[in-house]
């Protein structure tokens, strides 16, 4: 099996490459070489996927049985279209890592692969789309929907769309799980979003990578939602963070309306917390039937803490700084709550 990975040097792309090499596949990666390091054993091609000349030079080094695109989140639809068209004759199959944000109903509604997808043309630039007043839909979702359309136009039934929600695990660059682990490790009272039994559905990066490789070798196209089929309760998630960091901390569960009253931003200041009914109601049964296997999220938490202690973070990324409530703000809220109890 010969595959091309667009990206391939950090987080999901790195996991895809490592998994492919373990299977004995021939792996080519295409990147600018600015983030992360090449995995030993790959044929690394340097270039910019927004430049026709670089893409044509890459295509000449094919053919490949499949391409796995792990880097499209940084590019508007027209650039995804440019790459898909340039590689159309060099690749038999395109596995495209997208997002649940392409759905018009996210995060309000329960989602299946049959849910309505946002409309965006395949030649749209980065200005297309908008973010709604309540945070949905998102401009990001429109952009990724346009990227999917670009791949579908070029590859038809040879296109596979993977739509994860939140991906966690060793090497995470966004900073959601790392923030919770670092916060747990500091101990003391930890501001926590009630209810404790609220199920969340993040998936481990290694499980997403394994499924992407299975789809690269499969014979059919289509879309798959990637969300943990069992999930984990927020309380169990936080307790696992406290346990693995050997912390003396304890959660202080606060109702959503109280957190909002105190100006706590959903999704970022308390990562993974959002009140919308559909944010963690993603049906992944189609992917499970096709071979998605998700490890217990307690394993993801343990392995991410081990990675943090050993390596830290793989690349500097602006989203890392977006996550986590300031310790002064958290302390002020906890003090205010204690004074009224």
């Amino acid at each position: 099996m010969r595959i091309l990975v667009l990206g391939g040097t950090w987080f999901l792309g790195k996991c895809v490459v490592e998994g492919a090499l373990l299977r004995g596949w021939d792996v080519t990666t295409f990147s600018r070489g600015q983030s992360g390091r090449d995995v030993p054993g790959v044929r690394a091609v340097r270039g910019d996927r927004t430049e026709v000349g670089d893409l044509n030079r890459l295509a000449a080094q094919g053919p490949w049985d499949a391409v796995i695109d792990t880097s499209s989140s940084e590019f508007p639809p027209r650039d995804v279209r440019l790459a898909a068209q340039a590689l159309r004759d060099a690749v038999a199959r395109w596995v495209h890592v997208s997002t649940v944000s392409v759905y018009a109903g996210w995060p309000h509604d329960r989602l299946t692969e049959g849910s309505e997808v946002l409309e965006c043309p395949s030649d749209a630039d980065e200005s297309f789309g908008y973010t709604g007043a309540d945070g949905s839909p998102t401009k990001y979702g429109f952009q990724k929907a346009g990227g999917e359309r670009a791949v579908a136009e070029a590859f038809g039934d040879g296109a596979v769309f993977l739509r994860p929600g939140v991906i966690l695990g060793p090497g995470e660059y966004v900073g959601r799980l790392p923030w919770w682990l670092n916060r747990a490790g500091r101990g003391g009272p930890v501001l926590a979003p009630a209810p404790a039994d609220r199920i969340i559905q993040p998936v481990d990066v290694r499980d997403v990578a394994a499924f992407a490789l299975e789809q690269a070798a499969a014979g059919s196209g289509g879309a798959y939602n990637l969300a943990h089929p069992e999930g984990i309760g927020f309380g169990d998630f936080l307790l696992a963070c406290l346990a693995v960091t050997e912390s003396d901390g304890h959660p202080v569960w606060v109702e959503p309306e109280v957190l909002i009253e105190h100006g706590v931003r959903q999704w970022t200041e308390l990562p993974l917390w959002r009140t919308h009914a559909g944010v963690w109601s993603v049906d992944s049964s189609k992917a499970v039937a096709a071979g998605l296997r998700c490890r217990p999220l307690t394993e993801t938490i343990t392995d991410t803490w081990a990675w943090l202690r050993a390596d830290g973070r793989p690349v500097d990324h602006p989203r890392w700084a977006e996550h986590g409530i300031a310790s002064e703000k958290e302390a002020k809220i906890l003090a205010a709550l204690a004074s009224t109890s």
Side-chain angles (χ1 to χ4, degrees):
M1 184 84 176
R2 300 186 72 241
I3 68 165
L4 168 65
V5 180
L6 302 184
T9 59
W10 51 296
F11 200 41
L12 178 57
K14 181 182 178 184
C15 283
V16 166
V17 168
E18 291 173 339
L21 291 172
L22 284 174
R23 295 174 183 226
W25 293 2
D26 182 283
V27 182
T28 301
T29 60
F30 181 67
S31 69
R32 291 172 294 185
Q34 297 177 354
S35 301
R37 298 178 179 177
D38 296 316
V39 176
V42 306
R43 178 163 55 117
V45 178
R46 293 285 179 258
D48 188 332
R49 61 179 292 168
T50 67
E51 296 293 333
V52 174
D54 288 357
L55 290 168
N56 289 339
R57 178 170 51 83
L58 173 65
Q61 301 188 46
W64 296 276
D65 299 300
V67 59
I68 301 178
D69 186 358
T70 66
S71 66
S72 69
S73 63
E74 307 293 331
F75 299 94
R78 66 179 180 184
D79 289 336
V80 177
R81 183 171 182 252
L82 189 70
Q85 291 180 336
L87 295 170
R88 181 166 47 194
D89 295 331
V91 178
R93 187 171 177 78
W94 187 294
V95 179
H96 190 73
V97 181
S98 185
T99 169
V100 293
S101 296
V102 300
Y103 291 114
W106 191 85
H108 299 285
D109 304 328
R110 178 173 174 79
L111 298 176
T112 71
E113 288 80 1
S115 299
E116 179 186 358
V117 173
L118 295 167
E119 288 289 333
C120 178
S122 63
D123 60 351
D125 64 16
E126 59 275 4
S127 68
F128 188 91
Y130 64 92
T131 297
D134 68 343
S136 65
T138 63
K139 186 174 183 179
Y140 175 75
F142 281 103
Q143 292 277 309
K144 296 314 110 188
E148 285 194 10
R149 174 169 287 187
V151 173
E153 289 174 355
F155 283 86
D157 292 340
V160 180
F161 303 106
L162 308 185
R163 296 169 178 164
V166 171
I167 304 177
L168 303 178
E172 184 198 334
Y173 64 91
V174 175
R176 295 181 175 108
L177 177 52
W179 184 84
W180 277 113
L181 284 164
N182 286 325
R183 175 61 192 91
R186 292 201 305 270
V190 179
L191 190 66
D197 61 356
R198 175 79 182 273
I199 298 296
I200 60 177
Q201 295 179 283
V203 287
D204 190 290
V205 61
R206 295 161 293 185
D207 299 330
V208 175
F211 187 73
L213 292 170
E214 289 296 324
Q215 290 307 304
S220 59
Y224 296 94
N225 295 334
L226 302 187
H228 201 292
E230 290 85 30
I232 187 172
F234 216 115
D236 290 334
F237 168 84
L238 185 48
L239 290 176
C241 290
L242 292 165
V244 76
T245 58
E246 299 180 344
S247 174
D248 64 355
H250 61 278
V252 177
W253 295 101
V254 182
E255 294 300 321
E257 57 271 18
V258 178
L259 292 172
I260 293 170
E261 180 182 330
H262 282 276
V264 178
R265 294 193 303 275
Q266 299 184 48
W267 209 236
T268 53
E269 285 195 304
L270 291 182
L272 307 177
W273 167 61
R274 198 166 183 174
T275 57
H276 299 77
V279 67
W280 298 117
S281 294
V282 179
D283 183 0
S284 60
S285 58
K286 181 182 176 184
V288 170
L292 175 66
R293 299 292 178 266
C294 291
R295 70 196 67 205
L297 284 162
T298 50
E299 182 178 330
T300 305
I301 292 167
T302 298
D303 292 350
T304 302
W305 180 239
W307 162 71
L308 278 172
R309 295 182 71 185
D311 300 315
R313 51 179 171 167
V315 295
D316 289 323
H317 197 280
R319 295 187 68 187
W320 186 282
E322 294 176 359
H323 291 89
I325 189 169
S327 56
E328 298 83 2
K329 182 174 181 178
E330 180 189 24
K332 184 176 180 180
I333 294 172
L334 289 169
L337 295 171
S339 69
T340 59
S341 61

